[in-house]
Amino acid sequence: MSRLTAVRPSQQFIIGLLLLLALTVRLLYFNGLRAEFPDFLEAHPFCGLDANSYHHLYALGLLRGDWPYNEPFYHMILYPYFLGAVYALVGVNLRLIVVVQILLEVLACAAMYGIGRAVFNRTAGLIAAAIMAFYGPLIFFNACFAQVALSIPLFCLTLLFLLRAHSTGRWSYLIIAGILTGLAALSRPTFFLLLPVAGVWWLVERVSIRRILIRGAVYGGVAFLVTSPAAWHNYRTGGGFMPMPASGWEIIFLGNNPVAEGMGHVEHVLFTYLDPAAEAYINDVRTRAKEQSPDVFREEVLAYLQHDFNGWLHLMGRKIYLLLFTRDDNLISPYFFHNLQTIPLLLYFPFEWRSIFVASLLGVVLLKPKPRHALLLMLYVALPLFTVLFHIQFRFRLLLVPVTLLYAAAFISAVPRLSRWKFMASLTLLAGLTLVWPVFGWLLAVTFAMRCWAVYRTGPKSSLRYAALAAWSYLVVAVLVHHAYHFTFQASQAQTIMVGPPIAGPIALGQSLSVPCSGFNELDLVIGVSGQGQSQPVTFHLRRSADSSDDIYAAALDLNGLQDRMKKPFVFPPQPDSAGQTYFVFVDAPTAGAPQPLTLRGTFDQPFDRYPAGSAYIGGPGHWQKLAGDLAFTARCQGNLLTMTHQAFANPADRFYGPPWLYWTILVGHLGLLGLALVLIWNAWSDKACFVQPDQSKL
């Protein structure tokens, strides 16, 4: 029986329960939003400007008969036409749309189980479905009116039907896969990659050339038929015979031009403080494209590549970093007023992108490649490379989630079968990452548990209790040490998405902050560059408050080698009694007689407060005005690890409640237990504890 169809009753119960939990969690999240915002989805859709302008209002226009007869499609059409179809059937009910999207994502979770089971094993399928069911950003986007609400379910179902078509040889599955691919491509052109990738995959699977050609003709032909109405409309109205929207080259241009910064034009347009030179350049190109031809966007991209190829490579590197290594919250918060960290329900789920991505890398590196892995492996490589051609937004990274989750699940499920040294290397890597970023803690715990359970089932158990003791002690020590270390960096605001106005003459930028530790002696600010011109003398000031006229410390800023987004440290004599005190820092250039490019980065004019303990200011001494936002900064205190640890334990604001001696007892006690457990494991090395390779015949 096929790997895709043979499902035991016990597995059916488990996957059924998992899907029920996925549905329940999403409905609870939806209900929580309704409770927090009484008028939620009454008249306006959720999540960003696109939700209203490009989707909801467009769909309402379709109902009124406002069809774009004589103009090419300017945006991807699937989602607004989906909204229009639902509105036509049941009326304009925004909350019903969210319920439909929730059901589609639960269906995607079921598809993930089928894909994981077909390509790897049933354990990998269950793990992939479980992580997808409780991955916070996907739950977050269930309430959003965005293309990704359809893209991910369509992508998952396409992969499932492609696998079923290959394993069963049924043409009906291949035709369904073609229909789904065409629909997915109408929501995101990236999914056209499935066509060549599927052909190479069939070749790797040793399908005959004749059958590959027939399959390709059927699969690609059906996908083409689905997208051909949109392509014909664009061709008829002068947009070219392609299903991509007429704004395609403009989107590519916004992500690849001399003033691009990786996260798109939104950095310059949507906020109060703009980069004048960047804004003038973007507007000039758009004006020329409107007056001449949309080909202007393509010409600008090609000119940029020709004249500054090294700069483009640097930009691509930044986009790869943003896409693959940035925490979820930093990509979401610039665009949506609701923050992952402000939603209580989502805080209960430990899965975070960085840990999932590292697990997927381990899966790619450590698993022995097999022909059936080729489809997912090629998509794992191709999707990020194609995505970085555009600018980076969180909804673009969500398209990578299914394949990344599958390889992460494959690694976790393969832990019992890894050689002893591969397992120890993986465990050491995850232990080090957990010490720095506790979000890796769940992955470390699950990896260790999978190995120990395999050893418990198949082999000697005499040292299992020592391994469990070591794992528990390490996790306790890692959490305590991380919080103590974080205490020295607690006064910080890391968001740098916006650039402030140029600092010159009467315009200075400042920030109030509260320092939680004694020995405050360093403050890092993030430099911004806005426009052109010669940088002029700039001075950093540290005072007790915005009303104070006396500097605690002042220093001229070294202007040599300053670049946009550079973190600039200012070190001053330690303030012995700084714990719990408020300070005010500002940067001014009173002698600058003309606008200069130098400024500071931060976050402004957003509905939620990134740093409630302080605020950004604009103006100057004697006439400061508070801004709705904060500069990007990091405050540090001087002291050794023991001193900082003691301060952290004594500070209730850092999640440590109770007397410091209690936490010292816990920390020292678990360090002792960890050392004892490691010694006992070493002495019992003949048993290997959880580090032994389990008996494969019993797994």
Side-chain angles (χ1 to χ4, degrees):
M1 189 175 291
S2 168
R3 295 166 61 92
L4 284 158
T5 57
V7 182
R8 301 173 185 171
S10 59
Q11 297 172 28
Q12 293 176 355
F13 173 78
I14 293 174
I15 191 64
L17 180 61
L18 183 60
L19 296 179
L20 180 61
L21 289 173
L23 176 62
T24 302
V25 164
R26 282 157 174 77
L27 291 176
L28 287 173
Y29 166 64
F30 182 36
N31 190 61
L33 288 179
R34 293 178 60 187
E36 185 174 355
F37 306 104
D39 59 347
F40 176 64
L41 293 178
E42 287 291 346
H44 301 286
F46 191 57
C47 286
L49 299 176
D50 290 2
N52 193 55
S53 302
Y54 300 150
H55 302 322
H56 176 59
L57 295 181
Y58 192 106
L60 293 179
L62 295 177
L63 293 182
R64 295 192 302 266
D66 297 337
W67 298 83
Y69 291 107
N70 300 315
E71 297 179 357
F73 295 122
Y74 196 72
H75 298 284
M76 301 308 298
I77 66 170
L78 182 67
Y79 193 76
Y81 277 78
F82 159 75
L83 291 181
V86 176
Y87 292 167
L89 290 173
V90 299
V92 182
N93 188 331
L94 302 185
R95 292 178 179 176
L96 178 62
I97 296 295
V98 175
V99 174
V100 172
Q101 293 179 174
I102 287 174
L103 294 176
L104 287 174
E105 191 161 292
V106 173
L107 184 62
C109 292
M112 287 287 283
Y113 169 73
I115 299 166
R117 191 171 184 278
V119 177
F120 300 110
N121 53 67
R122 62 174 180 269
T123 303
L126 283 172
I127 294 172
I131 297 177
M132 190 171 190
F134 301 110
Y135 182 42
L138 285 179
I139 300 173
F140 175 91
F141 268 87
N142 276 144
C144 291
F145 281 51
Q147 296 276 5
V148 72
L150 300 181
S151 301
I152 290 180
L154 288 171
F155 181 40
C156 293
L157 291 171
T158 298
L159 292 178
L160 180 63
F161 277 97
L162 274 175
L163 291 165
R164 297 203 70 168
H166 177 68
S167 63
T168 64
R170 293 180 60 176
W171 294 104
S172 58
Y173 290 151
L174 190 62
I175 292 172
I176 295 173
I179 294 173
L180 293 171
T181 300
L183 291 174
L186 290 176
S187 70
R188 185 62 56 194
T190 308
F191 293 120
F192 278 120
L193 283 173
L194 283 165
L195 298 175
V197 165
V200 177
W201 168 52
W202 291 327
L203 191 63
V204 173
E205 287 274 24
R206 298 184 178 180
V207 179
S208 68
I209 298 297
R210 178 175 175 274
R211 289 191 65 85
I212 290 177
L213 293 176
I214 295 174
R215 285 185 183 184
V218 172
Y219 176 49
V222 172
F224 173 78
L225 286 176
V226 173
T227 59
S228 60
W232 173 254
H233 174 84
N234 285 338
Y235 174 76
R236 183 180 61 82
T237 55
F241 190 77
M242 57 182 181
M244 283 182 62
S247 61
W249 270 107
E250 181 179 1
I251 295 172
I252 295 175
F253 162 73
L254 292 177
N256 300 271
N257 64 74
V259 300
E261 297 182 353
M263 289 186 72
H265 190 52
V266 69
E267 292 183 270
H268 303 299
V269 173
L270 295 183
F271 309 113
T272 300
Y273 304 116
L274 309 176
D275 182 333
E279 190 65 14
Y281 170 71
I282 296 291
N283 289 336
D284 174 67
V285 174
R286 280 179 161 164
T287 300
R288 287 191 286 118
K290 185 179 295 185
E291 295 174 348
Q292 302 173 20
S293 164
D295 292 340
V296 169
F297 293 118
R298 182 177 68 248
E299 294 167 0
E300 285 293 321
V301 172
L302 296 178
Y304 173 49
L305 294 177
Q306 181 179 358
H307 293 104
D308 191 10
F309 188 73
N310 290 335
W312 179 77
L313 290 178
H314 178 78
L315 175 63
M316 294 294 285
R318 172 168 167 74
K319 289 196 284 187
I320 290 174
Y321 172 79
L322 288 169
L323 182 68
L324 300 180
F325 300 102
T326 306
R327 53 182 287 181
D328 295 324
D329 189 62
N330 285 349
L331 284 186
I332 287 180
S333 58
Y335 301 93
F336 305 121
F337 69 89
H338 220 40
N339 190 314
L340 282 177
Q341 295 179 347
T342 67
I343 305 174
L345 177 66
L346 300 186
L347 296 178
Y348 292 109
F349 306 129
F351 309 122
E352 202 263 350
W353 169 263
R354 290 172 296 176
S355 58
I356 295 171
F357 180 66
V358 168
S360 72
L361 282 177
L362 290 172
V364 170
V365 172
L366 298 180
L367 295 184
K368 183 179 179 180
K370 298 180 179 179
R372 66 173 184 267
H373 298 170
L375 176 63
L376 294 184
L377 184 59
M378 286 186 289
L379 290 172
Y380 185 86
V381 175
L383 284 174
L385 293 179
F386 191 83
T387 302
V388 296
L389 294 178
F390 306 91
H391 58 270
I392 304 304
Q393 293 188 21
F394 189 80
R395 61 179 182 266
F396 297 166
R397 186 163 79 183
L398 285 179
L399 304 180
L400 312 183
V401 166
V403 175
T404 306
L405 281 187
L406 287 163
Y407 262 104
F411 162 71
I412 296 172
S413 68
V415 164
R417 295 174 174 81
L418 293 178
S419 69
R420 177 163 39 119
W421 299 112
K422 285 183 178 180
F423 170 68
M424 291 179 64
S426 302
L427 198 69
T428 302
L429 172 65
L430 296 178
L433 292 173
T434 301
L435 191 61
V436 181
W437 297 292
V439 293
F440 284 86
W442 73 270
L443 182 58
L444 174 66
V446 169
T447 300
F448 203 83
M450 290 288 289
R451 187 70 168 207
C452 290
W453 177 246
V455 172
Y456 179 78
R457 288 174 54 202
T458 65
K461 307 173 181 62
S462 59
S463 298
L464 182 62
R465 58 184 181 273
Y466 303 146
L469 178 62
W472 169 258
S473 301
Y474 178 81
L475 287 174
V476 171
V477 170
V479 170
L480 291 177
V481 170
H482 172 81
H483 281 296
Y485 179 77
H486 177 71
F487 178 78
T488 64
F489 302 91
Q490 187 176 355
S492 66
Q493 194 290 112
Q495 194 58 252
T496 63
I497 184 66
M498 304 174 203
V499 62
I503 299 172
I507 299 179
L509 287 175
Q511 174 73 39
S512 60
L513 63 144
S514 176
V515 178
C517 46
S518 296
F520 174 41
N521 76 318
E522 182 179 337
L523 189 92
D524 299 344
L525 296 172
V526 179
I527 299 299
V529 176
S530 175
Q532 304 295 322
Q534 182 67 37
S535 296
Q536 301 178 50
V538 176
T539 305
F540 168 85
H541 303 263
L542 172 67
R543 296 181 178 180
R544 290 307 301 263
S545 69
D547 298 328
S548 175
S549 59
D550 298 324
D551 288 335
I552 298 175
Y553 173 81
L557 179 63
D558 184 3
L559 303 178
N560 294 322
L562 289 182
Q563 298 178 4
D564 193 32
R565 296 184 181 274
M566 176 183 289
K567 183 174 288 188
K568 182 66 177 179
F570 297 92
V571 181
F572 40 84
Q575 307 298 302
D577 300 319
S578 58
Q581 300 295 318
T582 59
Y583 291 86
F584 183 74
V585 298
F586 68 94
V587 175
D588 64 356
T591 62
Q596 65 162 348
L598 199 65
T599 183
L600 298 174
R601 283 188 168 269
T603 173
F604 313 105
D605 300 316
Q606 293 204 36
F608 56 86
D609 192 353
R610 298 286 297 183
Y611 180 66
S615 177
Y617 288 78
I618 189 172
H623 54 90
W624 290 110
Q625 296 181 7
K626 184 180 290 188
L627 294 173
D630 300 281
L631 299 180
F633 71 93
T634 301
R636 292 184 171 87
C637 296
Q638 186 183 65
N640 56 53
L641 185 59
L642 290 178
T643 301
M644 292 302 155
T645 301
H646 183 74
Q647 290 188 37
F649 290 164
N651 181 22
D654 198 40
R655 304 181 186 177
F656 292 105
Y657 301 94
W661 63 264
L662 174 63
Y663 294 101
W664 275 114
T665 302
I666 295 173
L667 178 60
V668 174
H670 280 83
L671 280 172
L673 289 175
L674 176 60
L676 177 62
L678 292 176
V679 170
L680 293 173
I681 290 173
W682 182 264
N683 290 336
W685 188 249
S686 59
D687 289 340
K688 308 292 192 310
C690 291
F691 303 105
V692 70
Q693 186 168 4
D695 186 348
Q696 304 296 309
S697 64
K698 298 181 181 180
L699 290 176

